[in-house]
Amino acid sequence: MDIDKITPPEAGAATECKDDTETFTKVKSKKTKKRKREQDGVDMDTEEPVASKRPQFPPISGDKLKGPDEMRKIAVPAHRYTPLKENWLKIFTPIVENLQLQVRFNLKTRNVEIKTCKETQDIGSLTKAADFVKAFILGFQVEDALALIRLDELFLESFDVTDVKPLKGDHLSRAIGRIAGKGGKTKFTIENVTKTRIVLADARVHILGSFQNIKMARTAICNLILGSPPSKVYGNIRVVASRTAERF
């Protein structure tokens, strides 16, 4: 055995460390980079801002704003054919004369079709006309539905009695009876106090009015469905109505 050729492990590790130190490159500290960045930022801030000009575009003509003709279709159920036929002139006149739209009743598809034309000035009038016809088809009087055309902040809301409470059979009939009242007294009282219009179509309730008034009427109807006596509901409505009147 050659004893001289065997090298101890400590000596091998020392030689490896020397090689590593020779190949090691010195990394710059983060502080110097940060200082340099701050100096660059100071230099950038001192530069004067360049004034940018606003782009000027020519005004768009009214014909381009209108775009292509749009159409709305409102389906008419079978039980509303006769009222629609009787009141067609009352429905037709404000849509054509006031809103400058085209309207017709399609006998094949059983839809009321409303369309814009060259004379239409406001594109929003199409939505107003569609809401007006829809309100009439839901069961509102033409005079009440006409307010959707004349006023901006009026809305339609519909919900089922069973959405408030899952009732069936006689229980459902009694809930609808509580909303209507004897001879429609309860419904008329809610309408007059909240300044809304209400239509009871079987188990479905439709409310026409402003957002705040619809909220009041909906709360009263929900309380009646849940079983509150009408006298208590009247009192609550009057308190809320008086508060809103004082606020505005």
Side-chain angles (χ1 to χ4, degrees):
M1 291 178 69
D2 296 332
I3 300 166
D4 298 335
K5 290 181 181 178
I6 299 167
T7 56
E10 290 85 356
T15 53
E16 285 177 6
C17 289
K18 284 179 182 179
D19 294 339
D20 291 341
T21 51
E22 287 173 3
T23 57
F24 178 73
T25 55
K26 194 174 182 181
V27 181
K28 291 181 181 180
S29 64
K30 291 181 180 178
K31 288 182 179 179
T32 54
K33 285 184 180 179
K34 194 174 180 182
R35 283 174 192 167
K36 194 175 181 182
R37 210 178 295 146
E38 285 175 358
Q39 287 174 359
D40 292 342
V42 170
D43 295 339
M44 287 172 70
D45 292 339
T46 53
E47 292 177 3
E48 293 181 0
V50 180
S52 59
K53 292 182 178 180
R54 282 187 179 181
Q56 292 182 351
F57 300 106
I60 301 170
S61 62
D63 297 334
K64 289 182 180 178
L65 279 171
K66 286 175 186 174
D69 291 340
E70 293 186 25
M71 182 187 279
R72 296 285 176 90
K73 294 180 181 180
I74 300 101
V76 182
H79 69 278
R80 295 299 291 172
Y81 292 157
T82 308
L84 184 69
K85 190 177 178 181
E86 290 172 355
N87 295 285
W88 180 250
L89 199 64
K90 292 179 182 178
I91 295 166
F92 173 87
T93 307
I95 292 172
V96 174
E97 292 183 0
N98 298 342
L99 301 176
Q100 281 88 37
L101 296 167
Q102 294 177 349
V103 62
R104 71 170 183 178
F105 180 62
N106 194 329
L107 292 168
K108 289 182 180 179
T109 58
R110 299 289 187 180
N111 288 335
V112 175
E113 296 176 354
I114 306 165
K115 187 183 175 184
T116 56
C117 59
K118 290 180 181 179
E119 286 77 20
T120 308
Q121 295 175 354
D122 185 14
I123 195 67
S125 57
L126 185 66
T127 308
K128 285 185 177 181
D131 289 343
F132 165 56
V133 176
K134 189 182 175 185
F136 175 76
I137 287 164
L138 288 175
F140 293 97
Q141 295 292 323
V142 181
E143 291 76 17
D144 297 333
L146 201 61
L148 286 163
I149 292 176
R150 291 175 179 167
L151 303 172
D152 290 330
E153 296 180 359
L154 285 184
F155 306 97
L156 274 171
E157 185 167 331
S158 302
F159 64 92
D160 286 316
V161 174
T162 50
D163 292 342
V164 182
K165 191 177 183 182
L167 300 168
K168 291 179 183 178
D170 292 339
H171 297 288
L172 181 61
S173 303
R174 279 194 289 272
I176 296 165
R178 278 199 300 275
I179 298 167
K182 188 178 179 181
K185 183 186 170 185
T186 307
K187 183 174 82 78
F188 292 141
T189 307
I190 294 169
E191 284 180 344
N192 293 332
V193 174
T194 59
K195 295 175 185 175
T196 55
R197 288 291 173 266
I198 299 165
V199 168
L200 282 172
D202 196 20
R204 196 155 179 78
V205 182
H206 308 289
I207 308 171
L208 169 68
S210 64
F211 179 78
Q212 194 70 29
N213 294 345
I214 285 173
K215 188 181 175 184
M216 287 161 56
R218 189 179 61 233
T219 305
I221 291 166
C222 290
N223 289 337
L224 287 168
I225 293 166
L226 292 169
S228 296
S231 57
K232 189 176 180 180
V233 173
Y234 294 158
N236 292 339
I237 294 170
R238 288 199 176 95
V239 168
V240 174
S242 62
R243 282 177 186 169
T244 51
E246 288 171 4
R247 193 180 299 166
F248 297 108

